[in-house]
Amino acid sequence: MNSLIRKTASFDVDAQKSFTPLCPDELPVPGGDQIAGELNFIASLASLRIGSKDAHSPLAPWVVADHAQMFVPTGLEHADITWVSHCVPGTEGFALLDQLPTPYDYDYFVWKGVEPDLHPYGACYHDLHGKLSTGVIEYLKAKRVEQVIVGGLALDFCVKTTALQLAAAGFKVIVHLPACRAISEEGAIQAIQDMHQAGIAVAATREETLRQANA
């Protein structure tokens, strides 16, 4: 089956300024501000464009004062580790990268982490147990989408988890690496390994993504 038959969606996961050097006090993923062109590329291969944003309270119980206190287990059921405050609605960090559409201009959009005690990584569920759907899986199935091309920030957390959730829901998933950046190199390596094990295609170039989309 080629991509002319297989209906395709693209998914921009949390491509927000908070995860770029534009917001150095938040979670500045190296090169995170350089992916918009590649996200627009994968959107050109799709008939539907999906997006997501983190939307967090600055008073969430998992928030810590500085980066040295991050990655500590919280003991919370749906917010596993600590993070500095990021992606607060109304701030620059909450905004999508400038070259991307507004949320209204996407075909479907997800805001996640609005509840202070919920800090999901994947865009398909509001919680860490996969109980409260954001509706995106149901939307894609209602639109008869069969494959999803994914990019965004950060590869080793929200992109990986979203891709795994989509694969578990039965979609063919391609992760376009040029449209992703990771918090750490070690995290990127582990994410790629985890996605490969789940049957997700991980493409390093536009040409490889095109081949995978038409396979």
Side-chain angles (χ1 to χ4, degrees):
M1 180 182 293
N2 63 43
S3 61
L4 296 175
I5 301 172
R6 182 189 293 116
K7 190 169 184 180
T8 302
S10 68
F11 206 137
D12 300 350
V13 178
D14 302 357
Q16 294 167 265
K17 293 181 181 180
S18 180
F19 302 117
T20 76
L22 300 171
C23 293
D25 294 332
E26 297 187 36
L27 293 171
V29 178
D33 54 336
Q34 301 169 10
I35 66 168
E38 294 297 327
L39 291 172
N40 289 333
F41 165 71
I42 63 174
S44 75
L45 307 179
S47 57
L48 294 170
R49 188 169 192 173
I50 313 300
S52 68
K53 273 187 177 186
D54 273 353
H56 297 314
S57 167
L59 302 178
W62 45 264
V63 170
V64 291
D66 58 62
H67 292 84
Q69 300 176 58
M70 292 201 315
F71 308 124
V72 176
T74 63
L76 299 169
E77 189 173 10
H78 296 292
D80 57 348
I81 56 176
T82 56
W83 297 91
V84 296
S85 182
H86 59 280
C87 297
V88 175
T91 67
E92 182 184 11
F94 183 64
L96 293 173
L97 298 174
D98 289 339
Q99 294 171 265
L100 298 180
T102 68
Y104 179 79
D105 292 319
Y106 283 77
D107 294 291
Y108 192 92
F109 206 89
V110 172
W111 290 265
K112 57 195 184 73
V114 177
E115 294 288 344
D117 61 339
L118 300 181
H119 188 267
Y121 300 111
C124 299
Y125 297 96
H126 289 295
D127 60 297
L128 297 184
H129 295 168
K131 175 188 176 184
L132 297 176
S133 175
T134 64
V136 68
I137 289 171
E138 292 80 1
Y139 174 83
L140 292 169
K141 290 187 173 181
K143 293 294 186 179
R144 302 188 183 278
V145 168
E146 296 183 40
Q147 72 177 359
V148 186
I149 309 174
V150 181
L153 301 168
L155 175 65
D156 36 353
F157 285 91
C158 298
V159 172
K160 177 186 81 169
T161 306
T162 301
L164 291 172
Q165 290 172 344
L166 291 167
F171 298 101
K172 176 184 174 181
V173 180
I174 303 164
V175 172
H176 181 60
L177 286 182
C180 305
R181 296 293 188 274
I183 290 178
S184 72
E185 184 177 351
E186 298 80 8
I189 292 169
Q190 185 63 53
I192 291 169
Q193 179 179 327
D194 292 346
M195 291 188 291
H196 275 146
Q197 289 177 348
I200 294 167
V202 180
T205 65
R206 289 188 175 193
E207 291 75 20
E208 188 176 352
T209 293
L210 280 167
R211 285 197 300 272
Q212 293 288 351
N214 286 287

